[in-house]
Amino acid sequence: MNRGQKQWTAVDHYVSEELIPPDPVLDAALDASVAAGLPPIQVSPSQGKLLQLLAQVHHAHTILEVGTLGGYSTIWLARSLPRGGGLVTLEVSPQHAQVARDNLARAHLLKVVELRVGPALETLPQLQAEGKGPFDLVFIDADKANTPDYFLWALKLTRRGSLIIVDNVVRKGELIATDSSDPSILGMRRFIHLLGSEPRVTATVIQTVGSKGYDGFALALVMRDP
Ligand code: SAH
Ligand code: DHB
Ligand code: MG
């Protein structure tokens, strides 16, 4: 039995309903994002919970996110933080950032989440200049073409033992389209190659199917201090 996308979505909904309790704050964040016209590209509930679970397993106290959108993944991740922990999230769009701020306020997370607005290639060096970090966990989920650069910045802002997670690395399998001229695909291919040749990390890619289609996450464990 393989009905493709329909089945992936149905199974995703089934396991989400069984494993993820109803959550008015997350639902309101999604509603507000739709109402504001944001693209519906946030992680799925089961993926949000995976991110949260990884942060919990890792006992992450400090988290860096690149690509906030409406703050949906931010809420999942920030809720994993122990007392005294903090999350910094970077977003280029002032409109997305405003939606995220409202959603984070509703989640009572504005005290632990710092939202910085601007191109991440500008805000990442600022974080370093301010001596922020090292971050225990980094979630990279912004413009795909710049993923290799975000990964290199993540290495500067982490420590031995940190976990770097990158979304959307498989893109319906287009990752292996050697003839692609799509900047997102080129960016991900360059990123995966970098990941394999970077001695400071040990890494893998997990392909996923579900309500967001066929895609995948890269997971990299940082083996050295910067
Ligand atoms: N992590 C979110 C989804 C992020 S979508 C979630 O799962 O809920 C990608 C986001 O990256 C968009 O909001 C987009 O505006 C932002 N983005 C795109 N280019 C960027 C850049 N150069 N710097 C920072 N953010 C960027
Ligand atoms: C897109 C971006 C994402 O971060 C994602 O998870 C899915 C799609 C996009 O830009 O199309
Ligand atoms: Mg994504």
Side-chain angles (χ1 to χ4, degrees), residues 123-196:
T123 48
L124 287 162
Q126 280 165 14
L127 288 176
Q128 194 194 33
E130 292 170 27
K132 298 277 163 136
F135 293 94
D136 302 323
L137 187 153
V138 181
F139 177 48
I140 298 174
D141 189 21
D143 50 319
K144 310 309 165 191
N146 282 321
T147 299
D149 306 272
Y150 299 149
F151 172 70
L152 291 173
W153 274 106
L155 283 179
K156 294 185 212 274
L157 291 163
T158 50
R159 55 165 174 84
R160 179 184 158 91
S162 294
L163 179 64
I164 301 172
I165 306 171
V166 181
D167 193 20
N168 311 116
V169 300
V170 175
R171 285 296 182 104
K172 299 181 164 71
E174 286 175 68
L175 181 63
I176 59 167
T178 49
D179 57 346
S180 180
S181 55
D182 178 339
S184 299
I185 304 303
L186 289 169
M188 282 308 178
R189 287 181 57 81
R190 219 158 35 89
F191 163 64
I192 296 295
H193 187 72
L194 180 61
L195 204 53

Side-chain angles (χ1 to χ4, degrees), residues 3-11:
R3 291 178 292 126
Q5 182 59 57
K6 262 197 176 144
Q7 182 167 46
W8 303 340
T9 301
V11 172

Side-chain angles (χ1 to χ4, degrees), residues 38-201:
L38 267 51
I41 55 175
Q42 67 282 333
V43 294
S44 66
S46 51
Q47 292 174 335
K49 189 155 183 193
L50 172 66
L51 294 174
Q52 181 175 83
L53 219 132
L54 289 167
Q56 286 172 313
V57 167
H58 198 51
H59 299 291
H61 281 65
T62 52
I63 298 176
L64 171 63
E65 175 177 70
V66 187
T68 316
L69 192 63
Y72 184 77
S73 56
T74 320
I75 294 173
W76 275 107
L77 283 166
R79 283 175 167 178
S80 75
L81 290 169
R83 205 178 300 278
L87 183 153
V88 177
T89 185
L90 310 178
E91 173 56 53
V92 73
S93 157
Q95 193 219 347
H96 296 182
Q98 189 51 52
V99 175
R101 215 171 279 117
D102 294 343
N103 287 336
L104 291 163
R106 211 179 292 108
H108 304 290
L109 286 169
L110 278 182
K111 282 211 175 89
V112 292
V113 175
E114 186 192 341
L115 176 55
R116 294 201 178 199
V117 183
L121 287 178
E122 290 175 17
T123 48
L124 287 162
Q126 280 165 14
L127 288 176
Q128 194 194 33
E130 292 170 27
K132 298 277 163 136
F135 293 94
D136 302 323
L137 187 153
V138 181
F139 177 48
I140 298 174
D141 189 21
D143 50 319
K144 310 309 165 191
N146 282 321
T147 299
D149 306 272
Y150 299 149
F151 172 70
L152 291 173
W153 274 106
L155 283 179
K156 294 185 212 274
L157 291 163
T158 50
R159 55 165 174 84
R160 179 184 158 91
S162 294
L163 179 64
I164 301 172
I165 306 171
V166 181
D167 193 20
N168 311 116
V169 300
V170 175
R171 285 296 182 104
K172 299 181 164 71
E174 286 175 68
L175 181 63
I176 59 167
T178 49
D179 57 346
S180 180
S181 55
D182 178 339
S184 299
I185 304 303
L186 289 169
M188 282 308 178
R189 287 181 57 81
R190 219 158 35 89
F191 163 64
I192 296 295
H193 187 72
L194 180 61
L195 204 53
S197 55
E198 173 53 69
R200 288 173 288 180
V201 299

